[in-house]
Amino acid sequence: TATTEIYTQAFVGSVRCVQETGINAEYMGIIIMDKDKDKTKGEEATEELSKIRLTLSAKEIKPLEDVCSQILQKTKELNFKFRGPVRMPTKTLRITCRKTPCGEGTDTWDHFEMRLHKRVIDLNCPIKKVKEITGFKIEPGIIVNVSFPQYAKSAIITLN
């Protein structure tokens, strides 16, 4: 049909562009096939790689670092490219309030502080593999934000 011809012309054009520019075809998610081989075998073997950003935040550092190391270990096992964890600046939330509820007496103050730690990990893998990479038990109190920059979609998963 006409639509399949358009798709095959676009595919052949992108393969030709990849060959001329010298871009790594595996990185682009394209299989360059010989004309002799059967075309149906190579088409189903690849999945499109996409950029995925995981933003992890928590009040405690140790559980956050443990989750980051588990994600990186799974990513290395599956041979996908990644960058991070990038340590973002710690947000410090401070509240200063009077100790006495009635307001009488000497001026004594309480100081409360909460620190929020954040890590960012960029993955370059198929979207279907994200569940496999993050498919382990994440401790309570860690917030994981998964975003897909090229689609401008975001899903926030809070695990308590």
Side-chain angles (χ1 to χ4, degrees), residues 73-133:
Q73 183 181 8
K74 290 262 188 164
T75 307
K76 286 177 186 176
E77 287 174 5
L78 296 172
N79 294 325
F80 292 122
K81 294 182 182 181
F82 65 91
R83 186 173 30 178
V86 177
R87 288 155 179 84
M88 302 304 285
T90 303
K91 278 188 182 177
T92 306
L93 306 174
R94 292 188 181 113
I95 296 176
T96 304
C97 61
R98 290 280 307 266
K99 281 187 178 180
T100 161
C102 64
E104 294 191 18
T106 59
D107 290 344
T108 53
W109 298 87
D110 270 334
H111 305 282
F112 299 101
E113 183 176 282
M114 182 171 68
R115 295 176 180 230
L116 297 175
H117 307 278
K118 189 182 268 191
R119 304 289 185 264
V120 176
I121 300 173
D122 290 328
L123 302 175
N124 196 5
C125 67
I127 295 174
K128 294 178 182 177
K129 296 290 182 175
V130 173
K131 190 169 186 177
E132 188 174 337
I133 290 171

Side-chain angles (χ1 to χ4, degrees), residues 33-38:
M33 298 176 290
D34 294 334
K35 293 180 181 178
D36 309 345
K37 293 184 180 179
D38 187 19

